[in-house]
Amino acid sequence: MTAKNTSDSTSSASKGSAKSKKKAWIISSAAVVLVACGYGGAAYALQDQVPRDAQVEGVEVGGLSYAAALSALKESFGDELQEKVMVVSGDDRVALTPEKAGLGLDYEGTLDGLTGFTLDPVALYQRVFGGTNIPLKTSADTAVLGNALETAAETLNRDPKEGKLSFSNGKVVFDEPTDGVSVDLEKTEEAVASEWRNESREVEAVTETVDPKMPASAFTDAREQAEALVSGNITVKAGAYNAVLTPNALANASAFTTEDSKVSLVVGNNKLTNAVIAANSSLKSTARDASVVFKNQVPVVVASRTGRAIDNTGLNSKVLEASTTEARTASVAFTEVQPEVTTAEVKSWGLTKKIVEFATPYPTYDSTRTKNLVAGAKKVTGVIVQPGEVFSLENALGPITTANGFFESGVVEDGFSTTAVGGGLSQISTQLFNVGFLGGMDDVEHRPHSRWFDRYPAGREATLWSGQIDMKWRNTTDKPVLIQTYVTDSEVVSVLWGTKKWNVTVSSTDPYNKTEPETVYNEAEKCVPETGGQEGFTITTTRTRTNGSASLPTDKLTWTYRPWNEVICGEDPDKKD
């Protein structure tokens, strides 16, 4: 019995111990589950909360929800997208507006990882007990930024400056070549994308050097040679005659050329010869070309003549050589020269035969106008027009200025009488238009007056206005023609001399489409009152040109003249009302 009791007692104790262990395990497991549930719950509860005391570049976002933190960042940094960013290259600067240039602020990326569910004990610890200061992330739309930088590069790129040698006031001027700059768009894009938020708001463009076509060394030889040339006077000797060429004269006869990436000094032989003659007229050629002069209003051939002139062969080389010596002297010889235009050649032109003559009366009461007629006649007389060449009256007269011998007299401008330098030269234009028209020349350019002057054939006259209206015709004959114009005591006479080629017939219609004069007002400062009274009209002129069996197309010239209105100086009274 005793043994049984002992056994039961032991068994009972053993059973009690097992029950205790099982209970402890259950309690322990329950505790673990409770802790785990608490940790997970805490993690879940903290998933939308930014770590406590967290800052983004000084902006407090700690403890805020994701949405609240996002809003805080946009409010604090959003204005930066409108603040200019300067892209800089040397002294050149281009401003970019970040938002327009594809640059942005990545608020979401900045907050990425600060919120959201996590079981990371370190992250949970930070969310409960404290955060950190983190940088604001940026973004870039590379396509938009690339386009913006391409546009900026148009300003930032700088072409290389090519070197240049020149003369100024007898001295050599050297503009040295300088490098250019080209923006490396890819590297500059990377720099701008990563650096645009720096404190200065400036980003240095990444550039490459662009070399000029020729380095400074390519100019060295020519520069030294030119400086020696114009360092002082150079004397050219020909027999007993001397011509002193100044640095200015030497420079004017010289130029710089470029070939095969090398600059050379070129001294023009003909220019140098002209400079020698200008320095001493005794060295001018004594040869004479044949020419035509008028004696008693008839053309006479002046014979050509053989003469002597300096032998300018290699003159430029001699002068360059002299520039390197202490004496600075070059010697040349005289040589016999033939005329360029011979007597036989001029005689073959047949300029002593009259093709056509034309005359119109002029108002003798206006002495100033007559002076312009005389001056204009002298300038066109003796002009020789070669076959196929175009005669221009404006070119023959030269500038219509007082310095060129002309005077202020009456003209018609916009249908009103006024005054201008060269008044009356339209009569010279009419004269030469008619000798050309009647002589069978091609009408290249002319314009009749706005109203008809009865001293001219209606529809067959031409005005002239310097720089705006010229009178031109083309020589349609096979030989040169010679122009002559002179003023008598009552008429202006023009003659075309040469070999006649065309039989010309000219006819005109009667005036038609007549218009009555009116009363008009002229407020111009130089207004001239007129009584008016002459009708306006239209007229057509027809010309034919034949030569044996050959003929040229018929010409028809139609022009409408305004009436001669009564002109009252001042403002129209109806206009005042």
Side-chain angles (χ1 to χ4, degrees), residues 104-243:
L105 297 172
D106 186 5
Y107 306 117
E108 292 82 359
T110 301
L111 296 176
D112 188 31
L114 296 181
T115 60
F117 183 80
T118 181
L119 294 176
D120 183 351
V122 175
L124 291 175
Y125 180 86
Q126 288 179 336
R127 293 179 187 182
V128 175
F129 297 107
T132 183
N133 190 19
I134 60 176
L136 180 63
K137 292 182 179 180
T138 60
S139 63
D141 184 326
T142 56
V144 176
L145 179 57
N147 289 335
L149 290 176
E150 280 187 17
T151 302
E154 295 175 5
T155 298
L156 300 177
N157 287 342
R158 187 173 68 250
D159 292 332
K161 179 185 173 184
E162 300 298 333
K164 181 183 177 182
L165 274 172
S166 60
F167 292 102
S168 177
N169 297 322
K171 293 187 179 299
V172 178
V173 178
F174 179 41
D175 296 326
E176 293 195 42
T178 57
D179 294 336
V181 169
S182 177
V183 174
D184 186 319
L185 291 174
E186 185 176 345
K187 292 181 179 179
T188 300
E189 182 181 313
E190 293 175 0
V192 172
S194 62
E195 301 173 24
W196 68 273
R197 291 190 67 241
N198 63 34
E199 187 175 350
S200 67
R201 303 285 287 190
E202 291 186 359
V203 180
E204 191 75 27
V206 181
T207 60
E208 298 174 345
T209 299
V210 181
D211 296 327
K213 293 179 182 178
M214 292 189 297
S217 58
F219 298 84
T220 303
D221 292 345
R223 182 182 180 185
E224 291 176 352
Q225 194 175 28
E227 287 175 343
L229 177 67
V230 298
S231 62
N233 295 338
I234 291 179
T235 301
V236 176
K237 289 181 171 293
Y241 301 100
N242 289 337

Side-chain angles (χ1 to χ4, degrees), residues 520-538:
V520 295
Y521 292 84
N522 183 4
E523 299 178 40
E525 183 180 346
K526 294 184 178 181
C527 171
V528 177
E530 300 178 56
T531 57
Q534 184 171 287
E535 293 177 321
F537 60 91
T538 300

Side-chain angles (χ1 to χ4, degrees), residues 385-392 395 444 471-475:
V385 186
Q386 298 294 330
E389 184 181 359
V390 172
F391 168 74
S392 161
N395 288 344
V444 176
M471 193 288 300
K472 299 177 180 178
W473 46 255
R474 179 182 290 103
N475 181 1

Side-chain angles (χ1 to χ4, degrees), residues 241 277 280-290 303-310 334-340:
Y241 301 100
I277 294 170
N280 189 338
S281 59
S282 297
L283 296 176
K284 184 178 181 180
S285 171
T286 58
R288 184 179 68 195
D289 289 340
S304 59
R305 182 179 64 198
T306 300
R308 64 108 177 104
I310 61 170
F334 282 111
T335 185
E336 183 179 271
V337 291
Q338 300 296 324
E340 294 182 6

Side-chain angles (χ1 to χ4, degrees), residues 290-292 300-304 341-353 479 499:
S291 61
V292 178
V300 176
V301 175
V302 177
S304 59
V341 182
T342 65
T343 305
E345 184 179 2
V346 173
K347 285 183 176 181
S348 72
W349 293 347
L351 298 177
T352 58
K353 298 177 183 179
K479 293 187 177 183
T499 301

Side-chain angles (χ1 to χ4, degrees), residues 351-430:
L351 298 177
T352 58
K353 298 177 183 179
K354 188 179 295 186
I355 297 176
V356 65
E357 181 175 331
F358 179 79
T360 55
Y362 66 90
T364 57
Y365 57 81
D366 190 340
S367 60
T368 303
R369 185 180 186 278
T370 304
K371 289 180 181 178
N372 283 330
L373 292 177
V374 172
K378 288 181 178 178
K379 291 181 183 297
V380 299
T381 294
V383 172
I384 295 175
V385 186
Q386 298 294 330
E389 184 181 359
V390 172
F391 168 74
S392 161
L393 177 58
E394 189 171 8
N395 288 344
L397 293 175
I400 301 176
T401 61
T402 55
N404 195 32
F406 296 109
F407 304 87
E408 185 167 307
S409 186
V411 297
V412 176
E413 183 178 6
D414 295 328
F416 293 108
S417 293
T418 183
T419 59
V421 174
L425 289 177
S426 287
Q427 186 155 5
I428 300 293
S429 182
T430 294

